[in-house]
Amino acid sequence: MVGRSREPGAGSREPEAGRAAAARRVLFVVRNAATLHRLLDVLPVFAGDPRITPLFTLAPGSDYDTGVLARLDREGARTVPWPPPRKSCDLAISASRNGPLHELDAPLVLLPHGAGFN
């Protein structure tokens, strides 16, 4: 075959085929209690995947962020300060389009945070 190697794992996307799985960091961007609850709802999607490291950060500017960092501490969440360092994550997820999301240096997934989301 032209252009294809016959070595084990060559061209395969399966980690057990000779390559170590790549670690990925997913940053959950919290603005207030409502967004935190929504992000905690989707966190189990990543549970059990050792390649994913979830990180949380509190984006500034909300009048309703009281107690959010304390809740993250109680949950045992790994937090990083805002703004996150460049290249600190591979994907960012937020449940609010408000705040300085333009400062993120990663692809952003925006989730609705409830019935009032427009």
Side-chain angles (χ1 to χ4, degrees), residues 55-82:
L55 304 171
F56 287 80
T57 191
L58 178 62
S62 176
D63 292 335
Y64 306 103
D65 63 2
T66 303
V68 170
L69 289 175
R71 171 76 190 273
L72 288 170
D73 283 343
R74 283 194 307 273
E75 294 289 331
R78 199 166 153 195
T79 59
V80 295
W82 187 271

PDB file of all heavy atoms in Angstrom, residues 55-82:
ATOM      1  N   LEU A  55     -11.420  21.234  34.780  1.00  0.00           N
ATOM      2  CA  LEU A  55     -10.968  22.400  35.538  1.00  0.00           C
ATOM      3  C   LEU A  55     -12.122  23.392  35.594  1.00  0.00           C
ATOM      4  O   LEU A  55     -12.939  23.450  34.679  1.00  0.00           O
ATOM      5  CB  LEU A  55      -9.771  23.059  34.858  1.00  0.00           C
ATOM      6  CG  LEU A  55      -8.550  22.195  34.597  1.00  0.00           C
ATOM      7  CD1 LEU A  55      -7.553  22.949  33.718  1.00  0.00           C
ATOM      8  CD2 LEU A  55      -7.899  21.806  35.913  1.00  0.00           C
ATOM      9  N   PHE A  56     -12.177  24.187  36.636  1.00  0.00           N
ATOM     10  CA  PHE A  56     -13.216  25.206  36.769  1.00  0.00           C
ATOM     11  C   PHE A  56     -12.572  26.564  36.972  1.00  0.00           C
ATOM     12  O   PHE A  56     -11.516  26.669  37.601  1.00  0.00           O
ATOM     13  CB  PHE A  56     -14.115  24.904  37.969  1.00  0.00           C
ATOM     14  CG  PHE A  56     -15.049  23.748  37.748  1.00  0.00           C
ATOM     15  CD1 PHE A  56     -14.604  22.449  37.886  1.00  0.00           C
ATOM     16  CD2 PHE A  56     -16.371  23.972  37.401  1.00  0.00           C
ATOM     17  CE1 PHE A  56     -15.463  21.379  37.678  1.00  0.00           C
ATOM     18  CE2 PHE A  56     -17.234  22.914  37.184  1.00  0.00           C
ATOM     19  CZ  PHE A  56     -16.783  21.617  37.326  1.00  0.00           C
ATOM     20  N   THR A  57     -13.229  27.594  36.437  1.00  0.00           N
ATOM     21  CA  THR A  57     -12.796  28.959  36.670  1.00  0.00           C
ATOM     22  C   THR A  57     -14.029  29.826  36.832  1.00  0.00           C
ATOM     23  O   THR A  57     -15.100  29.506  36.301  1.00  0.00           O
ATOM     24  CB  THR A  57     -11.895  29.485  35.533  1.00  0.00           C
ATOM     25  OG1 THR A  57     -11.308  30.723  35.930  1.00  0.00           O
ATOM     26  CG2 THR A  57     -12.658  29.677  34.244  1.00  0.00           C
ATOM     27  N   LEU A  58     -13.892  30.915  37.577  1.00  0.00           N
ATOM     28  CA  LEU A  58     -14.988  31.851  37.789  1.00  0.00           C
ATOM     29  C   LEU A  58     -14.724  33.082  36.937  1.00  0.00           C
ATOM     30  O   LEU A  58     -13.782  33.840  37.193  1.00  0.00           O
ATOM     31  CB  LEU A  58     -15.095  32.236  39.264  1.00  0.00           C
ATOM     32  CG  LEU A  58     -16.177  33.243  39.630  1.00  0.00           C
ATOM     33  CD1 LEU A  58     -17.563  32.699  39.296  1.00  0.00           C
ATOM     34  CD2 LEU A  58     -16.093  33.596  41.105  1.00  0.00           C
ATOM     35  N   ALA A  59     -15.556  33.265  35.907  1.00  0.00           N
ATOM     36  CA  ALA A  59     -15.431  34.451  35.056  1.00  0.00           C
ATOM     37  C   ALA A  59     -16.003  35.641  35.827  1.00  0.00           C
ATOM     38  O   ALA A  59     -17.075  35.547  36.411  1.00  0.00           O
ATOM     39  CB  ALA A  59     -16.183  34.243  33.750  1.00  0.00           C
ATOM     40  N   PRO A  60     -15.315  36.754  35.829  1.00  0.00           N
ATOM     41  CA  PRO A  60     -15.752  37.904  36.622  1.00  0.00           C
ATOM     42  C   PRO A  60     -16.931  38.642  35.990  1.00  0.00           C
ATOM     43  O   PRO A  60     -17.229  38.488  34.811  1.00  0.00           O
ATOM     44  CB  PRO A  60     -14.509  38.792  36.635  1.00  0.00           C
ATOM     45  CG  PRO A  60     -13.812  38.471  35.362  1.00  0.00           C
ATOM     46  CD  PRO A  60     -14.055  37.010  35.134  1.00  0.00           C
ATOM     47  N   GLY A  61     -17.586  39.441  36.833  1.00  0.00           N
ATOM     48  CA  GLY A  61     -18.590  40.365  36.329  1.00  0.00           C
ATOM     49  C   GLY A  61     -20.021  40.078  36.703  1.00  0.00           C
ATOM     50  O   GLY A  61     -20.905  40.854  36.368  1.00  0.00           O
ATOM     51  N   SER A  62     -20.298  38.997  37.393  1.00  0.00           N
ATOM     52  CA  SER A  62     -21.680  38.691  37.759  1.00  0.00           C
ATOM     53  C   SER A  62     -21.965  39.180  39.172  1.00  0.00           C
ATOM     54  O   SER A  62     -21.147  39.025  40.077  1.00  0.00           O
ATOM     55  CB  SER A  62     -21.943  37.190  37.687  1.00  0.00           C
ATOM     56  OG  SER A  62     -23.257  36.908  38.131  1.00  0.00           O
ATOM     57  N   ASP A  63     -23.156  39.753  39.359  1.00  0.00           N
ATOM     58  CA  ASP A  63     -23.594  40.153  40.702  1.00  0.00           C
ATOM     59  C   ASP A  63     -24.077  38.952  41.515  1.00  0.00           C
ATOM     60  O   ASP A  63     -24.371  39.087  42.690  1.00  0.00           O
ATOM     61  CB  ASP A  63     -24.736  41.176  40.601  1.00  0.00           C
ATOM     62  CG  ASP A  63     -24.272  42.507  40.029  1.00  0.00           C
ATOM     63  OD1 ASP A  63     -23.076  42.827  40.141  1.00  0.00           O
ATOM     64  OD2 ASP A  63     -25.128  43.223  39.468  1.00  0.00           O
ATOM     65  N   TYR A  64     -24.161  37.797  40.882  1.00  0.00           N
ATOM     66  CA  TYR A  64     -24.744  36.619  41.523  1.00  0.00           C
ATOM     67  C   TYR A  64     -23.743  35.480  41.695  1.00  0.00           C
ATOM     68  O   TYR A  64     -24.120  34.314  41.677  1.00  0.00           O
ATOM     69  CB  TYR A  64     -25.946  36.130  40.704  1.00  0.00           C
ATOM     70  CG  TYR A  64     -26.952  37.224  40.476  1.00  0.00           C
ATOM     71  CD1 TYR A  64     -27.017  37.864  39.247  1.00  0.00           C
ATOM     72  CD2 TYR A  64     -27.791  37.635  41.489  1.00  0.00           C
ATOM     73  CE1 TYR A  64     -27.933  38.892  39.042  1.00  0.00           C
ATOM     74  CE2 TYR A  64     -28.700  38.662  41.298  1.00  0.00           C
ATOM     75  CZ  TYR A  64     -28.759  39.289  40.062  1.00  0.00           C
ATOM     76  OH  TYR A  64     -29.649  40.300  39.855  1.00  0.00           O
ATOM     77  N   ASP A  65     -22.480  35.842  41.891  1.00  0.00           N
ATOM     78  CA  ASP A  65     -21.462  34.796  42.023  1.00  0.00           C
ATOM     79  C   ASP A  65     -21.135  34.438  43.474  1.00  0.00           C
ATOM     80  O   ASP A  65     -20.259  33.639  43.742  1.00  0.00           O
ATOM     81  CB  ASP A  65     -20.185  35.192  41.278  1.00  0.00           C
ATOM     82  CG  ASP A  65     -19.532  36.452  41.838  1.00  0.00           C
ATOM     83  OD1 ASP A  65     -20.031  37.021  42.825  1.00  0.00           O
ATOM     84  OD2 ASP A  65     -18.498  36.858  41.274  1.00  0.00           O
ATOM     85  N   THR A  66     -21.883  34.972  44.419  1.00  0.00           N
ATOM     86  CA  THR A  66     -21.648  34.711  45.840  1.00  0.00           C
ATOM     87  C   THR A  66     -21.768  33.217  46.136  1.00  0.00           C
ATOM     88  O   THR A  66     -22.749  32.583  45.758  1.00  0.00           O
ATOM     89  CB  THR A  66     -22.660  35.486  46.708  1.00  0.00           C
ATOM     90  OG1 THR A  66     -22.560  36.863  46.389  1.00  0.00           O
ATOM     91  CG2 THR A  66     -22.384  35.278  48.187  1.00  0.00           C
ATOM     92  N   GLY A  67     -20.758  32.683  46.771  1.00  0.00           N
ATOM     93  CA  GLY A  67     -20.777  31.293  47.191  1.00  0.00           C
ATOM     94  C   GLY A  67     -20.354  30.287  46.137  1.00  0.00           C
ATOM     95  O   GLY A  67     -20.250  29.101  46.429  1.00  0.00           O
ATOM     96  N   VAL A  68     -20.106  30.751  44.920  1.00  0.00           N
ATOM     97  CA  VAL A  68     -19.764  29.820  43.848  1.00  0.00           C
ATOM     98  C   VAL A  68     -18.423  29.131  44.114  1.00  0.00           C
ATOM     99  O   VAL A  68     -18.305  27.906  43.996  1.00  0.00           O
ATOM    100  CB  VAL A  68     -19.767  30.531  42.482  1.00  0.00           C
ATOM    101  CG1 VAL A  68     -19.190  29.649  41.407  1.00  0.00           C
ATOM    102  CG2 VAL A  68     -21.174  30.966  42.115  1.00  0.00           C
ATOM    103  N   LEU A  69     -17.421  29.894  44.493  1.00  0.00           N
ATOM    104  CA  LEU A  69     -16.109  29.289  44.758  1.00  0.00           C
ATOM    105  C   LEU A  69     -16.161  28.353  45.960  1.00  0.00           C
ATOM    106  O   LEU A  69     -15.521  27.300  45.949  1.00  0.00           O
ATOM    107  CB  LEU A  69     -15.052  30.367  44.951  1.00  0.00           C
ATOM    108  CG  LEU A  69     -14.662  31.124  43.687  1.00  0.00           C
ATOM    109  CD1 LEU A  69     -13.687  32.253  44.010  1.00  0.00           C
ATOM    110  CD2 LEU A  69     -14.074  30.192  42.644  1.00  0.00           C
ATOM    111  N   ALA A  70     -16.945  28.704  46.979  1.00  0.00           N
ATOM    112  CA  ALA A  70     -17.095  27.825  48.145  1.00  0.00           C
ATOM    113  C   ALA A  70     -17.745  26.507  47.731  1.00  0.00           C
ATOM    114  O   ALA A  70     -17.351  25.436  48.198  1.00  0.00           O
ATOM    115  CB  ALA A  70     -17.918  28.514  49.228  1.00  0.00           C
ATOM    116  N   ARG A  71     -18.723  26.573  46.860  1.00  0.00           N
ATOM    117  CA  ARG A  71     -19.376  25.352  46.381  1.00  0.00           C
ATOM    118  C   ARG A  71     -18.393  24.484  45.604  1.00  0.00           C
ATOM    119  O   ARG A  71     -18.367  23.260  45.745  1.00  0.00           O
ATOM    120  CB  ARG A  71     -20.580  25.712  45.505  1.00  0.00           C
ATOM    121  CG  ARG A  71     -21.219  24.553  44.781  1.00  0.00           C
ATOM    122  CD  ARG A  71     -22.067  23.678  45.700  1.00  0.00           C
ATOM    123  NE  ARG A  71     -22.488  22.447  45.068  1.00  0.00           N
ATOM    124  CZ  ARG A  71     -23.563  22.279  44.333  1.00  0.00           C
ATOM    125  NH1 ARG A  71     -24.382  23.296  44.119  1.00  0.00           N
ATOM    126  NH2 ARG A  71     -23.862  21.106  43.823  1.00  0.00           N
ATOM    127  N   LEU A  72     -17.576  25.107  44.766  1.00  0.00           N
ATOM    128  CA  LEU A  72     -16.571  24.348  44.020  1.00  0.00           C
ATOM    129  C   LEU A  72     -15.588  23.673  44.969  1.00  0.00           C
ATOM    130  O   LEU A  72     -15.190  22.528  44.752  1.00  0.00           O
ATOM    131  CB  LEU A  72     -15.845  25.247  43.028  1.00  0.00           C
ATOM    132  CG  LEU A  72     -16.656  25.673  41.810  1.00  0.00           C
ATOM    133  CD1 LEU A  72     -15.917  26.754  41.037  1.00  0.00           C
ATOM    134  CD2 LEU A  72     -16.960  24.485  40.927  1.00  0.00           C
ATOM    135  N   ASP A  73     -15.205  24.374  46.025  1.00  0.00           N
ATOM    136  CA  ASP A  73     -14.317  23.781  47.028  1.00  0.00           C
ATOM    137  C   ASP A  73     -14.971  22.569  47.686  1.00  0.00           C
ATOM    138  O   ASP A  73     -14.325  21.537  47.866  1.00  0.00           O
ATOM    139  CB  ASP A  73     -13.945  24.809  48.094  1.00  0.00           C
ATOM    140  CG  ASP A  73     -12.896  25.799  47.625  1.00  0.00           C
ATOM    141  OD1 ASP A  73     -12.211  25.526  46.619  1.00  0.00           O
ATOM    142  OD2 ASP A  73     -12.774  26.861  48.267  1.00  0.00           O
ATOM    143  N   ARG A  74     -16.243  22.701  48.040  1.00  0.00           N
ATOM    144  CA  ARG A  74     -16.958  21.582  48.673  1.00  0.00           C
ATOM    145  C   ARG A  74     -17.070  20.386  47.735  1.00  0.00           C
ATOM    146  O   ARG A  74     -17.060  19.242  48.167  1.00  0.00           O
ATOM    147  CB  ARG A  74     -18.357  22.016  49.114  1.00  0.00           C
ATOM    148  CG  ARG A  74     -18.387  22.849  50.372  1.00  0.00           C
ATOM    149  CD  ARG A  74     -19.780  22.976  50.962  1.00  0.00           C
ATOM    150  NE  ARG A  74     -20.780  23.435  50.022  1.00  0.00           N
ATOM    151  CZ  ARG A  74     -21.056  24.714  49.768  1.00  0.00           C
ATOM    152  NH1 ARG A  74     -20.379  25.668  50.370  1.00  0.00           N
ATOM    153  NH2 ARG A  74     -22.015  25.029  48.902  1.00  0.00           N
ATOM    154  N   GLU A  75     -17.184  20.654  46.442  1.00  0.00           N
ATOM    155  CA  GLU A  75     -17.285  19.583  45.444  1.00  0.00           C
ATOM    156  C   GLU A  75     -15.916  18.946  45.164  1.00  0.00           C
ATOM    157  O   GLU A  75     -15.836  17.949  44.461  1.00  0.00           O
ATOM    158  CB  GLU A  75     -17.870  20.119  44.131  1.00  0.00           C
ATOM    159  CG  GLU A  75     -19.301  20.576  44.232  1.00  0.00           C
ATOM    160  CD  GLU A  75     -20.278  19.426  44.397  1.00  0.00           C
ATOM    161  OE1 GLU A  75     -20.003  18.310  43.928  1.00  0.00           O
ATOM    162  OE2 GLU A  75     -21.340  19.664  45.005  1.00  0.00           O
ATOM    163  N   GLY A  76     -14.847  19.568  45.658  1.00  0.00           N
ATOM    164  CA  GLY A  76     -13.509  19.052  45.390  1.00  0.00           C
ATOM    165  C   GLY A  76     -13.018  19.369  43.989  1.00  0.00           C
ATOM    166  O   GLY A  76     -12.145  18.685  43.457  1.00  0.00           O
ATOM    167  N   ALA A  77     -13.596  20.405  43.388  1.00  0.00           N
ATOM    168  CA  ALA A  77     -13.241  20.768  42.016  1.00  0.00           C
ATOM    169  C   ALA A  77     -11.851  21.398  41.960  1.00  0.00           C
ATOM    170  O   ALA A  77     -11.439  22.121  42.868  1.00  0.00           O
ATOM    171  CB  ALA A  77     -14.269  21.748  41.458  1.00  0.00           C
ATOM    172  N   ARG A  78     -11.177  21.128  40.886  1.00  0.00           N
ATOM    173  CA  ARG A  78      -9.864  21.738  40.629  1.00  0.00           C
ATOM    174  C   ARG A  78     -10.115  23.075  39.935  1.00  0.00           C
ATOM    175  O   ARG A  78     -10.759  23.121  38.893  1.00  0.00           O
ATOM    176  CB  ARG A  78      -9.062  20.805  39.742  1.00  0.00           C
ATOM    177  CG  ARG A  78      -7.611  21.064  39.760  1.00  0.00           C
ATOM    178  CD  ARG A  78      -6.921  19.880  39.138  1.00  0.00           C
ATOM    179  NE  ARG A  78      -5.684  20.355  38.571  1.00  0.00           N
ATOM    180  CZ  ARG A  78      -4.964  19.701  37.719  1.00  0.00           C
ATOM    181  NH1 ARG A  78      -5.350  18.511  37.302  1.00  0.00           N
ATOM    182  NH2 ARG A  78      -3.853  20.197  37.273  1.00  0.00           N
ATOM    183  N   THR A  79      -9.639  24.175  40.513  1.00  0.00           N
ATOM    184  CA  THR A  79      -9.914  25.494  39.976  1.00  0.00           C
ATOM    185  C   THR A  79      -8.644  26.168  39.476  1.00  0.00           C
ATOM    186  O   THR A  79      -7.546  25.874  39.937  1.00  0.00           O
ATOM    187  CB  THR A  79     -10.582  26.401  41.026  1.00  0.00           C
ATOM    188  OG1 THR A  79      -9.722  26.531  42.153  1.00  0.00           O
ATOM    189  CG2 THR A  79     -11.925  25.845  41.474  1.00  0.00           C
ATOM    190  N   VAL A  80      -8.840  27.056  38.515  1.00  0.00           N
ATOM    191  CA  VAL A  80      -7.763  27.912  38.015  1.00  0.00           C
ATOM    192  C   VAL A  80      -8.272  29.344  38.049  1.00  0.00           C
ATOM    193  O   VAL A  80      -9.473  29.588  37.934  1.00  0.00           O
ATOM    194  CB  VAL A  80      -7.323  27.523  36.577  1.00  0.00           C
ATOM    195  CG1 VAL A  80      -6.717  26.136  36.551  1.00  0.00           C
ATOM    196  CG2 VAL A  80      -8.472  27.614  35.607  1.00  0.00           C
ATOM    197  N   PRO A  81      -7.375  30.301  38.236  1.00  0.00           N
ATOM    198  CA  PRO A  81      -7.812  31.701  38.318  1.00  0.00           C
ATOM    199  C   PRO A  81      -8.238  32.246  36.957  1.00  0.00           C
ATOM    200  O   PRO A  81      -7.903  31.685  35.912  1.00  0.00           O
ATOM    201  CB  PRO A  81      -6.566  32.434  38.825  1.00  0.00           C
ATOM    202  CG  PRO A  81      -5.429  31.568  38.386  1.00  0.00           C
ATOM    203  CD  PRO A  81      -5.937  30.156  38.415  1.00  0.00           C
ATOM    204  N   TRP A  82      -9.000  33.328  37.003  1.00  0.00           N
ATOM    205  CA  TRP A  82      -9.361  34.043  35.774  1.00  0.00           C
ATOM    206  C   TRP A  82      -8.395  35.191  35.596  1.00  0.00           C
ATOM    207  O   TRP A  82      -8.083  35.866  36.557  1.00  0.00           O
ATOM    208  CB  TRP A  82     -10.780  34.591  35.853  1.00  0.00           C
ATOM    209  CG  TRP A  82     -11.188  35.165  34.533  1.00  0.00           C
ATOM    210  CD1 TRP A  82     -10.988  36.449  34.117  1.00  0.00           C
ATOM    211  CD2 TRP A  82     -11.781  34.473  33.443  1.00  0.00           C
ATOM    212  NE1 TRP A  82     -11.435  36.591  32.833  1.00  0.00           N
ATOM    213  CE2 TRP A  82     -11.932  35.395  32.393  1.00  0.00           C
ATOM    214  CE3 TRP A  82     -12.204  33.173  33.250  1.00  0.00           C
ATOM    215  CZ2 TRP A  82     -12.492  35.056  31.173  1.00  0.00           C
ATOM    216  CZ3 TRP A  82     -12.757  32.841  32.042  1.00  0.00           C
ATOM    217  CH2 TRP A  82     -12.907  33.781  31.014  1.00  0.00           C
TER     218      TRP A  82
END
